Amino acid sequence: DVKVTQSSRYLVKRTGEKVFLECVQDMDHENMFWYRQDPGLGLRLIYFSYDVKMKEKGDIPEGYSVSREKKERFSLILESASTNQTSMYLCASSDGIGDHNSPLHFGNGTRLTVT
Amino acid sequence: RKEVEQDPGPFNVPEGATVAFNCTYSNSASQSFFWYRQDCRKEPKLLMSVYSSGNEDGRFTAQLNRASQYISLLIRDSKLSDSATYLCVVRRGSTLGRLYFGRGTQLTVWP
């Protein structure tokens, strides 16, 4: 069974802090993703990566950066946290091209509050 | 225009009812289609893929209409445990691995 693990379930940070959200998957998946989910807005893609050291901007990359130094680990970085980054953050991974044989597998999320 | 659009609901139905959700997608190059289910405060999980000829998995039936660019999910004999948010998800042919999510349709099944 695919396991995607996010390092924290709940996180509270102060405005201006640098925040690291970590995600690890154990199935040797090539693709990894960071989403945020907000009421009424659904899931929005922040960044994704198709391979080690590769990254692509999603729909809302502003204020975020990512790091993928190893295949199994994809980190999301909030350079200077702001209150509008309070959200649920979901990491996901998949193998292949995203067809019927390679759905997304999600971690159980990190609920980040920035005060 | 959003990539994937769904009626947010909520749909409130009694146990045993049949309920249907629709979803439209904007890009005709979309190639793969899915329904995900998300329980309250949990992560989304794949419910079923949607195939061109339509497919069934127990009480769940998914249909695809490429000409009209919409996808449907039918749930028969609703159970209390079906209460969740159902996300319509689409992959474009040109976007390796990347999926586009609808905002979800909320379903509550009451006893």
Side-chain angles (χ1 to χ4, degrees):
Chain A
D1 217 17
V2 175
K3 190 149 187 192
V4 180
T5 304
Q6 292 183 231
S7 53
S8 304
R9 191 83 173 96
Y10 298 95
L11 213 50
V12 180
K13 296 291 181 181
R14 293 197 179 276
T15 302
E17 276 193 77
K18 191 168 185 175
V19 182
F20 293 86
L21 301 183
E22 306 286 350
C23 175
V24 177
Q25 50 95 2
D26 66 357
M27 284 302 290
D28 202 36
H29 282 171
E30 286 138 8
N31 309 321
M32 295 189 76
F33 306 82
W34 275 107
Y35 291 86
R36 63 178 282 180
Q37 187 172 31
D38 302 286
L41 297 177
L43 279 155
R44 293 181 291 168
L45 182 63
I46 305 171
Y47 265 98
F48 57 107
S49 169
Y50 291 137
D51 202 350
V52 177
K53 298 198 187 291
M54 259 208 58
K55 58 186 178 185
E56 299 275 348
K57 290 180 180 179
D59 299 318
I60 51 162
E62 297 78 21
Y64 303 94
S65 61
V66 289
S67 171
R68 190 150 181 218
E69 295 296 318
K70 293 185 177 181
K71 193 173 184 181
E72 67 271 16
R73 186 179 295 270
F74 193 35
S75 304
L76 180 69
I77 303 150
L78 285 66
E79 297 291 342
S80 176
S82 63
T83 53
N84 63 13
Q85 292 178 310
T86 292
S87 186
M88 169 67 88
Y89 289 87
L90 288 157
C91 175
S93 73
S94 75
D95 199 12
I97 62 170
D99 63 2
H100 298 297
N101 297 317
S102 55
L104 284 185
H105 298 270
F106 285 88
N108 57 11
T110 296
R111 189 166 290 280
L112 172 68
T113 302
V114 182
T115 62
Chain B
R1 189 182 168 188
K2 288 192 70 64
E3 191 86 24
V4 182
E5 303 224 42
Q6 294 180 251
D7 179 350
F11 285 67
N12 297 303
V13 302
E15 265 188 299
T18 295
V19 61
F21 309 135
N22 289 328
C23 158
T24 58
Y25 59 94
S26 61
N27 195 303
S28 59
S30 298
Q31 290 194 349
S32 300
F33 308 90
F34 309 87
W35 285 100
Y36 277 67
R37 171 197 167 123
Q38 186 172 21
D39 293 302
C40 189
R41 299 188 176 277
K42 296 284 184 78
E43 73 276 18
K45 292 186 178 177
L46 178 67
L47 176 67
M48 58 195 300
S49 299
V50 186
Y51 297 101
S52 297
S53 53
N55 48 298
E56 197 171 296
D57 183 0
R59 298 180 293 107
F60 298 85
T61 301
Q63 298 276 358
L64 168 64
N65 185 320
R66 285 190 185 271
S68 302
Q69 293 182 205
Y70 81 77
I71 307 149
S72 64
L73 178 68
L74 183 79
I75 306 175
R76 288 183 301 279
D77 189 22
S78 299
K79 311 288 184 197
L80 296 178
S81 57
D82 293 335
S83 297
T85 297
Y86 291 83
L87 303 169
C88 176
V89 185
V90 167
R91 180 182 77 86
R92 277 198 245 143
S94 61
T95 56
L96 291 180
R98 179 176 172 176
L99 302 180
Y100 293 84
F101 285 78
R103 294 184 186 181
T105 298
Q106 189 181 338
L107 171 67
T108 301
V109 181
W110 45 272

